[in-house]
Amino acid sequence: VIARHLLLRGHEPTVYLAADPTGITGDAAVMFAPLERLGIPVRPLRTAEQLATAAGEWSSCDVIVDALLGTGFAGQVRSPLAELIAAVNALQGPTLVAVDVPSGLDCDTGSPGGVAVRANYTVTFVAEKIGFALPEARPYVGQVVVADIGVPPKRVTSDEQ
């Protein structure tokens, strides 16, 4: 979805896919399907060689969008995602923007799962996640922006976050 919106605004996005595309189902499959028709490159990111190539390309990017792991993440980041996150964190130059929560960060406890994306910005939805306020989360979330996705404010209480 983000790649499509960037394309519509005159940018040239590339999607790096760390999953097997044949395993994409449901809403994700619906959103993934138009990429090829729109000419948005989708590059596989499943081997060490692909990661090394991608990291070289990322160093010349203005922005890297992290949408690898979401709010359901807990525990430890395992290989090969741990290596991917380490490669992103090693970049010098691109602005790192996390979608909803930096990959590898437990949004409830604020603790990294061994490794987590160190975002410059985290664009989160509805309300800031509980764990973002904890000291251990600060190096990972960067500046937090809460995006409105149409949830009425009266539906968001401290008990529901």
Side-chain angles (χ1 to χ4, degrees):
V1 171
I2 293 168
R4 279 197 344 256
H5 284 276
L6 288 169
L7 181 70
L8 290 172
R9 286 166 177 76
H11 301 283
E12 297 178 17
T14 299
V15 172
Y16 293 86
L17 188 62
D20 180 350
T22 63
I24 300 174
T25 61
D27 290 342
V30 171
M31 296 298 121
F32 183 73
L35 296 181
E36 184 177 352
R37 288 192 313 273
L38 292 170
I40 296 174
V42 177
R43 301 227 170 91
L45 197 54
R46 298 176 63 205
T47 69
E49 182 179 77
Q50 290 167 339
L51 176 57
T53 300
E57 294 168 359
W58 297 338
S59 63
S60 64
C61 291
D62 294 322
V63 176
I64 303 290
V65 176
D66 161 37
L68 189 61
L69 299 170
T71 57
F73 171 80
Q76 295 293 305
V77 180
R78 295 184 305 266
S79 186
L81 299 184
E83 291 83 2
L84 195 161
I85 291 171
V88 167
N89 285 340
L91 294 171
Q92 301 293 316
T95 299
L96 301 179
V97 179
V99 176
D100 209 20
V101 60
S103 292
L105 187 73
D106 184 313
C107 69
D108 293 326
T109 68
S111 297
V115 64
V117 168
R118 293 180 179 270
N120 299 104
Y121 297 92
T122 297
V123 179
T124 195
F125 307 114
V126 181
E128 193 166 321
K129 309 305 183 246
I130 294 169
F132 290 2
L134 300 173
E136 54 268 36
R138 296 304 330 149
Y140 302 97
V141 297
Q143 182 178 336
V144 178
V145 177
V146 178
D148 177 13
I149 59 170
V151 176
K154 68 182 181 181
R155 300 283 294 165
V156 180
T157 67
S158 60
D159 295 337
E160 294 176 352
Q161 292 182 8

